[in-house]
Amino acid sequence: MSKNLSELSGRKGLDDNLFNRIGELAKPDGTPSIEELDKLAKEFLIGTANTYGTASFYDFLKPENKGKKVYVCNGTACLCAGTQDKVSEELSNHFQADEVGHMTCLGRCHENSAFHLNGKNYSGNAVEDLPNIINTVSEKNKDTYHVQASGQEILTKPFTNIKEYYAPFQAALKKESVDILAEIKTSNVRGRGGAGFPMGLKLEFCRKEEADTKFIICNADEGDPGAYSDRYLLEHQPHAVLFGMMISGYVTGAEYGILYIRAEYPESAIICQNAIDELRAEGLIGKNIEGTEFNFDLKIIQAQGSYICGEETALINSIEGQRPEVRIRPPFPAQRGLFNKPTIVNNVETLATVHHILENGGAAWKAIGTERSSGTKLVSLDSLFNNPGMYEVEMGTPLSEIVYDLGGGFKKPVKALQIGGPLGGLVPVSKIGDLTLDFESFSQNGFLMGHASVVSVPEDFPIMKFIEHLFDFAAYESCGKCFPCRLGTKRGHELSTKALNSDYKIDRKLFDDLLTTLEKGSLCAHGGGIPLPVRNALQYFESELKEYFN
């Protein structure tokens, strides 16, 4: 049935996209009406259960969103910083309780106190100026943060101009696409979204598929609380991302590029659309680019609030207007993805590496970093660092250098770092000296680098409360397709909540069985990944947690 829905959703192509249409219907009241969804179902020749099932899944489409006017960030960085109770209190002076919703991570982790109002994100001391923000056109949504490269500037290198920046793209069009692919493979650049799969291999898989239509998707649904590296690239280096998509299209034979940008990043969508308009004005996208037979166009699709859409197959289902449930693989997206066509899904930062590779050669990128983790990596540090901000470091850089030299240490005592989002692992400060920033070091030490976002867990923040927060997040964001994740994350949340709020003791053997079931039985890395930080907590904070277990 899902395959048929993909075909039906693709009948009108990208110009008249079902998911976008549902989003437009939700704008006036926060959720589309049943009548509107029924009409849309008839138009796209799908069941009314399908349109309603989709709309009822997303935070900003579901009926519960009706009438919401303002949203408070409830991401991990803001939680650990302890800023959101004050934000909620201030907002309660201006809005009714049923007018206030939540958003999970607005990417303002460098200063916290984050909230969303009238299509804009605010943070820092903005909450102290609420009357002006509500009643006037305010510029307080514009945030600034420190950006620094510890070595060579690549991803943080200032943009020049369209003509100069896209010269490597124009040169690439004069070469055989297989030669361009060879440079990417030589670089050994690995996916920056968490899995670390070689970009060149993924492109090659798609290239080998015979199809009349192929797609390049930029996964800009950066949902890991604490991460704002993708937001930095989308808002300050949008052309680096678009360049990577265009080259990916050239080497695979794809003619369409889609930026799937999370709803929590409204400013990112505006800035990227402006960059796309610049490319169109210069004739660098469209039909017969630079007089060649290469056709490529770009479109932005705005997400509607769902962490699971960071998983590539759930993201594809989302674009098709289906519930964003994870697909069983094989077939992989490079074989059968969007509208059942070969599709490449790459993370924002992964795509942004391509410009340097084409301008300087794959060997130049490969020479940076370690043997298996090449190049540079963006690291986002939260507000509990003395020097919060965005840092570009070479792979293999000691974590201690990032934390204490670049980050300047902590403003208050910290006992652990959540690195790489909720699925990335919980690193006690005692392990900082043992790690280097690369895939292998984190894996060998029982962690996962992921996005390389860093959230500081203060000394006075209970680890059991942190575990409860992880399970709460995982249960809420589960797509619900597989039983281990749908039920297991909920059970984990129930157990941790009960232990925190009563004299109930969790059976440790039962709890370990639950984690193992999640790891081995879940369909994707959402349910399969959440046990990692929980096991880290049990291993390194046993003395603090023993009162909750028997």
Side-chain angles (χ1 to χ4, degrees):
M1 185 61 181
S2 180
K3 180 180 178 182
N4 294 336
L5 289 173
S6 297
E7 297 285 349
L8 290 169
S9 176
R11 285 171 56 249
K12 297 189 176 188
L14 288 173
D15 291 335
D16 191 7
N17 176 258
L18 174 59
F19 186 61
N20 266 359
R21 292 279 297 277
I22 296 174
E24 288 297 320
L25 292 175
K27 283 185 177 179
D29 300 314
T31 185
S33 68
I34 297 294
E35 294 74 21
E36 289 172 325
L37 291 172
D38 288 350
K39 185 178 178 181
L40 204 57
K42 290 178 182 177
E43 181 182 338
F44 279 83
L45 305 179
I46 61 177
T48 54
N50 298 113
T51 52
Y52 184 77
T54 295
S56 61
F57 186 94
Y58 296 88
D59 285 348
F60 313 125
L61 297 179
K62 62 176 59 174
E64 295 88 337
N65 189 53
K66 187 173 183 177
K68 293 290 187 287
K69 294 181 179 180
V70 63
Y71 300 85
V72 180
C73 179
N74 66 350
T76 310
C78 282
L79 174 73
C80 288
T83 58
Q84 300 312 89
D85 286 345
K86 179 183 177 182
V87 172
S88 296
E89 183 180 342
E90 290 292 334
L91 291 175
S92 69
N93 295 326
H94 301 274
F95 299 94
Q96 299 298 319
D98 60 358
E99 293 177 329
V100 182
H102 78 267
M103 284 187 171
T104 301
C105 198
L106 302 180
R108 299 300 184 99
C109 318
H110 60 93
E111 61 183 4
N112 307 122
S113 300
F115 64 97
H116 175 97
L117 176 65
N118 295 331
K120 294 181 179 180
N121 290 340
Y122 298 89
S123 54
N125 61 4
V127 72
E128 299 171 5
D129 196 29
L130 266 178
N132 284 332
I133 292 173
I134 294 170
N135 299 314
T136 64
V137 178
S138 174
E139 296 293 314
K140 281 187 172 290
N141 65 305
K142 296 180 179 178
D143 66 328
T144 58
Y145 47 88
H146 183 69
V147 179
Q148 179 183 337
S150 64
Q152 185 178 359
E153 285 184 332
I154 297 177
L155 299 172
T156 56
K157 185 178 180 181
F159 178 72
T160 51
N161 56 69
I162 294 285
K163 183 176 181 180
E164 183 178 337
Y165 194 82
Y166 282 88
F169 170 71
Q170 293 169 314
L173 295 184
K174 297 175 183 177
K175 300 176 183 177
E176 294 294 328
S177 59
V178 68
D179 295 331
I180 305 302
L181 176 59
E183 288 295 336
I184 297 173
K185 290 179 69 177
T186 297
S187 72
N188 193 38
V189 60
R190 296 170 63 180
R192 270 31 184 176
F197 191 82
M199 182 187 193
L201 279 181
K202 186 185 285 191
L203 293 173
E204 187 173 43
F205 294 154
C206 185
R207 177 187 175 87
K208 289 179 177 178
E209 293 293 318
E210 296 290 336
D212 57 350
T213 304
K214 297 180 182 181
F215 298 97
I216 303 297
I217 298 177
C218 171
N219 182 351
D221 196 37
E222 176 183 62
D224 287 340
Y228 52 101
S229 49
D230 286 0
R231 183 171 82 88
Y232 162 74
L233 291 169
L234 293 168
E235 296 180 7
H236 296 278
Q237 309 282 358
H239 283 291
V241 183
L242 301 180
F243 184 101
M245 295 181 71
M246 293 158 68
I247 289 295
S248 296
Y250 183 59
V251 302
T252 59
E255 294 189 357
Y256 302 96
I258 303 163
L259 289 95
Y260 185 91
I261 302 179
R262 64 197 312 255
E264 293 86 348
Y265 288 177
E267 293 90 352
S268 298
I270 295 169
I271 292 169
C272 285
Q273 186 59 58
N274 291 339
I276 290 171
D277 294 342
E278 290 174 348
L279 291 177
R280 199 176 307 284
E282 293 292 329
L284 290 171
I285 55 174
K287 300 289 186 181
N288 303 118
I289 302 170
E290 295 290 299
T292 68
E293 296 182 357
F294 178 50
N295 306 321
F296 194 78
D297 218 324
L298 291 156
K299 179 183 179 67
I300 292 175
I301 290 182
Q302 193 127 17
Q304 294 294 340
S306 172
Y307 176 76
I308 198 62
C309 288
E311 198 281 335
E312 61 180 4
T313 62
L315 185 156
I316 289 170
N317 272 355
S318 178
I319 295 174
E320 293 179 351
Q322 301 189 54
R323 283 175 71 89
E325 293 180 344
V326 173
R327 296 182 181 180
I328 296 172
R329 291 166 287 189
F332 293 92
Q335 301 163 313
R336 194 168 80 208
L338 183 63
F339 308 137
N340 291 329
K341 303 295 184 180
T343 302
I344 287 293
V345 183
N346 270 134
N347 154 268
V348 171
E349 188 176 341
T350 310
L351 291 162
T353 65
V354 175
H355 187 274
H356 181 85
I357 292 168
L358 259 65
E359 188 175 43
N360 300 279
W365 179 271
K366 183 72 170 63
I368 303 169
T370 70
E371 178 62 28
R372 297 185 61 193
S373 299
S374 60
T376 63
K377 181 76 189 73
L378 292 178
V379 181
S380 43
L381 303 184
D382 75 352
S383 67
L384 290 185
F385 283 87
N386 284 310
N387 304 322
M390 186 65 53
Y391 294 88
E392 180 178 12
V393 302
E394 290 190 8
M395 285 284 206
T397 298
L399 183 60
S400 59
E401 181 180 323
I402 296 169
V403 170
Y404 299 112
D405 296 343
L406 298 176
F410 307 106
K411 295 174 181 175
K412 58 188 284 189
V414 165
K415 60 184 172 186
L417 302 175
Q418 182 191 62
I419 301 180
L423 313 180
L426 190 65
V427 180
V429 291
S430 61
K431 290 286 290 182
I432 290 175
D434 299 337
L435 293 167
T436 55
L437 196 82
D438 55 78
F439 295 107
E440 289 68 46
S441 176
F442 272 67
S443 177
Q444 290 164 7
N445 283 275
F447 307 109
L448 186 73
M449 186 176 74
H451 247 99
S453 56
V454 184
V455 174
S456 307
V457 182
E459 190 69 53
D460 59 1
F461 194 96
I463 289 295
M464 195 62 197
K465 184 179 177 182
F466 192 84
I467 291 175
E468 181 196 35
H469 167 72
L470 287 174
F471 274 123
D472 184 26
F473 174 84
Y476 183 86
E477 298 293 351
S478 173
C479 80
K481 183 166 184 173
C482 69
F483 284 134
C485 179
R486 185 172 77 202
L487 301 178
T489 54
K490 184 64 177 175
R491 294 294 171 264
H493 181 234
E494 289 171 348
L495 288 169
S496 53
T497 300
K498 191 173 180 180
L500 267 174
N501 297 297
S502 71
D503 57 0
Y504 175 77
K505 305 290 184 183
I506 300 172
D507 185 308
R508 179 61 186 268
K509 185 178 185 304
L510 178 70
F511 198 68
D512 286 340
D513 285 348
L514 174 65
L515 296 178
T516 300
T517 301
L518 278 164
E519 284 173 335
K520 296 187 176 181
S522 297
L523 191 57
C524 79
H526 182 71
I530 205 69
L532 176 62
V534 178
R535 290 196 189 282
N536 292 154
L538 292 170
Q539 177 182 354
Y540 294 107
F541 297 95
E542 184 179 13
S543 59
E544 181 182 337
L545 294 172
K546 63 182 180 182
E547 65 177 290
Y548 302 105
F549 292 86
N550 60 24

